[in-house]
Amino acid sequence: MKIVLVRHGQTEENFEGNICGLNNEMMNDTGRRQCQRLKEKLKDIDFNFCYMSPLIRCVESAIILVGDRVETSPDKRLIDRDMKNLVGKSRDDINEEDYWKLEDMDVESVSSMFERCRSFLDYIKDKHKDESIIIVTHGSIYRVLRHIILNHDMNNLYDGIIPNCHYEEFNL
């Protein structure tokens, strides 16, 4: 199975450096252009299926990337981390490494994100054994999925910023 993992294109909240969480906002024009450039890079991959977070920024990214040439399906397990009362606050207020240690605050736990991402990966491994899948999601879920795919543990999740419309290919 081939997996192409994609972070959605830029939103205004991303541009302003704010925490998005479950905020359901569209991409900005920069995000749309990022997706168009990525679409060109991925044009030679014959995807069998596309999964995406049901938040509009991921749905919009997926539509630009694969259009109607690939069956798409939103999956709630790919939704962004629930940041509750931190949504809209500046990312500068939280150190990136601390973002992954927020277990004691009123936000979704890292272990919960790992649980739903493992469930999702188990599902697609079963359903799409020898196929090429594109997954469009959020930076935090991208990072967790990558850690699971690479068989890393829940420690040391922060290894740099994942830019908007960043992608990686994995063979499972």
Side-chain angles (χ1 to χ4, degrees), residues 103-161:
E103 300 287 332
D104 57 338
M105 296 181 73
D106 185 26
V107 298
E108 181 182 10
S109 70
V110 171
S111 57
S112 170
M113 292 180 354
F114 264 82
E115 184 178 308
R116 60 188 168 98
C117 287
R118 276 192 190 98
S119 167
F120 172 76
L121 286 172
D122 288 345
Y123 171 77
I124 66 166
K125 283 179 194 173
D126 230 22
K127 186 171 180 178
H128 301 284
K129 288 183 178 34
D130 297 318
E131 296 179 332
S132 291
I133 308 300
I134 184 169
I135 301 168
V136 183
T137 190
H138 310 274
S140 59
I141 300 305
Y142 183 115
R143 188 179 306 278
V144 171
L145 287 168
R146 182 175 65 195
H147 267 65
I148 295 169
I149 290 168
L150 296 174
N151 204 25
H152 294 169
D153 61 25
M154 288 175 30
N155 299 317
N156 303 318
L157 276 164
Y158 183 72
D159 55 1
I161 298 288

Side-chain angles (χ1 to χ4, degrees), residues 33-172:
R33 284 190 299 275
Q34 290 170 333
C35 287
Q36 288 293 343
R37 285 191 298 273
L38 181 55
K39 176 183 179 180
E40 184 61 28
K41 288 180 185 176
L42 300 177
K43 71 180 179 188
D44 295 329
I45 301 175
D46 291 323
F47 292 109
N48 301 101
F49 210 88
C50 174
Y51 289 97
M52 75 287 239
S53 159
L55 294 179
I56 193 69
R57 56 194 181 265
C58 289
V59 173
E60 187 179 12
S61 295
I63 289 169
I64 292 171
L65 293 171
V66 299
D68 62 357
R69 67 184 173 104
V70 175
E71 186 176 348
T72 59
S73 179
D75 192 301
K76 287 191 263 184
R77 293 171 290 193
L78 297 173
I79 204 161
D80 205 356
R81 185 178 189 184
D82 188 352
M83 296 302 291
K84 300 184 182 173
N85 61 341
L86 296 178
V87 170
K89 294 193 177 180
S90 173
R91 288 190 88 69
D92 292 339
D93 294 343
I94 298 175
N95 178 298
E96 279 294 327
E97 291 182 49
D98 291 342
Y99 177 85
W100 296 99
K101 300 174 187 166
L102 293 174
E103 300 287 332
D104 57 338
M105 296 181 73
D106 185 26
V107 298
E108 181 182 10
S109 70
V110 171
S111 57
S112 170
M113 292 180 354
F114 264 82
E115 184 178 308
R116 60 188 168 98
C117 287
R118 276 192 190 98
S119 167
F120 172 76
L121 286 172
D122 288 345
Y123 171 77
I124 66 166
K125 283 179 194 173
D126 230 22
K127 186 171 180 178
H128 301 284
K129 288 183 178 34
D130 297 318
E131 296 179 332
S132 291
I133 308 300
I134 184 169
I135 301 168
V136 183
T137 190
H138 310 274
S140 59
I141 300 305
Y142 183 115
R143 188 179 306 278
V144 171
L145 287 168
R146 182 175 65 195
H147 267 65
I148 295 169
I149 290 168
L150 296 174
N151 204 25
H152 294 169
D153 61 25
M154 288 175 30
N155 299 317
N156 303 318
L157 276 164
Y158 183 72
D159 55 1
I161 298 288
I162 297 173
N164 289 104
C165 242
H166 179 77
Y167 80 100
E168 289 177 81
E169 297 178 36
F170 301 95
N171 290 304
L172 301 181

